[in-house]
């Protein structure tokens, strides 16, 4: 939706939300954030309450729009690796925008996470190489502000407070489930929900943040049915 002209964005939201359909918009720039936030608020003002219309990426966001997102609980998705020094993102940020302007507007997703806001973190699936897709990779980046694939990576931006483990796990489980919306079926382990489970080879709460992306998946279950168990059997045999 970000590729269409700004005046058309409210029309898209109004028509979709009228049919109770959510809309997700790539908001790579601050102006697209403003256009989309205004469109969401226009649709809500017209009486269409679709809570899971979504801002994708959330890179550059002004104070005013950030406050509107918080006050109105507008759901957000972003890709953490795009906010660190991966692919010289730190240098590009400094070159494209003066530091005084970049610091307040860039990578604000972690401040939303600290508030308990509905934020999901994920790869930009259609364009990401396979090595960048793992959810635990995104958890590590959110917690360290570093690129796990680069040993020389430095925390960036220093103006941001890293997310906690609890915040990051919610951002790959219960919050994206609510964005579907499927929070009544998936996202947490509860009676009556589908048993979508992952077995890891380490306790994620016991390792250092910079080691999280190295955790291996031993097995998976989809709706209570084992769909992958190779790692579990190998671990049992080693014992």
């Amino acid at each position: 939706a970000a590729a269409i002209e700004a005046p058309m964005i409210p029309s898209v939201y109004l028509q979709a939300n009228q049919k109770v359909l959510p809309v997700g918009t790539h908001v790579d720039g601050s102006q697209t954030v403003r256009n989309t936030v205004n469109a969401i608020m226009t649709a809500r003002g017209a009486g269409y309450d679709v809570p899971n219309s979504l801002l994708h990426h959330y890179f550059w966001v002004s104070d005013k729009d950030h406050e509107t997102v918080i006050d109105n609980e507008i759901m957000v998705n972003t890709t953490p690796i795009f906010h660190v020094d991966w692919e010289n993102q730190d240098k590009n940020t400094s070159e494209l925008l003066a530091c005084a302007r970049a610091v307040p507007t860039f990578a604000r997703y972690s401040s939303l996470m600290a508030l308990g806001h509905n934020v999901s973190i994920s790869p930009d699936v259609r364009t990401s190489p396979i090595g960048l897709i793992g959810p635990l990779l995104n958890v590590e980046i959110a917690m360290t502000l570093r690129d796990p694939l680069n040993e020389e990576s430095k925390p960036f931006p220093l103006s941001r407070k890293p997310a906690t483990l609890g915040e990051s796990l919610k951002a790959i489980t219960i919050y994206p489930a609510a964005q579907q919306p499927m929070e009544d079926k998936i996202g947490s382990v509860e009676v009556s929900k589908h048993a979508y489970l992952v077995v890891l080879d380490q306790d994620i709460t016991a390792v250092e943040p910079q080691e999280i992306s190295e955790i291996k998946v031993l097995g998976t279950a989809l709706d209570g049915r084992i769909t992958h168990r190779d790692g579990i059997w190998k671990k049992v045999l080693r014992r």
Side-chain angles (χ1 to χ4, degrees), residues 102-104 106 145 156-161:
V103 167
F106 184 65
L145 305 182
F156 178 82
L158 295 176
S159 59
R160 295 287 165 248
K161 181 180 178 181

Side-chain angles (χ1 to χ4, degrees), residues 118 169-170 172-179 183 187-188 190 193:
N118 187 309
L169 290 179
K170 286 181 179 179
I172 62 169
T173 55
I174 196 164
Y175 287 153
Q179 292 177 4
E183 67 269 35
S188 60
E190 298 179 44
K193 287 191 175 183

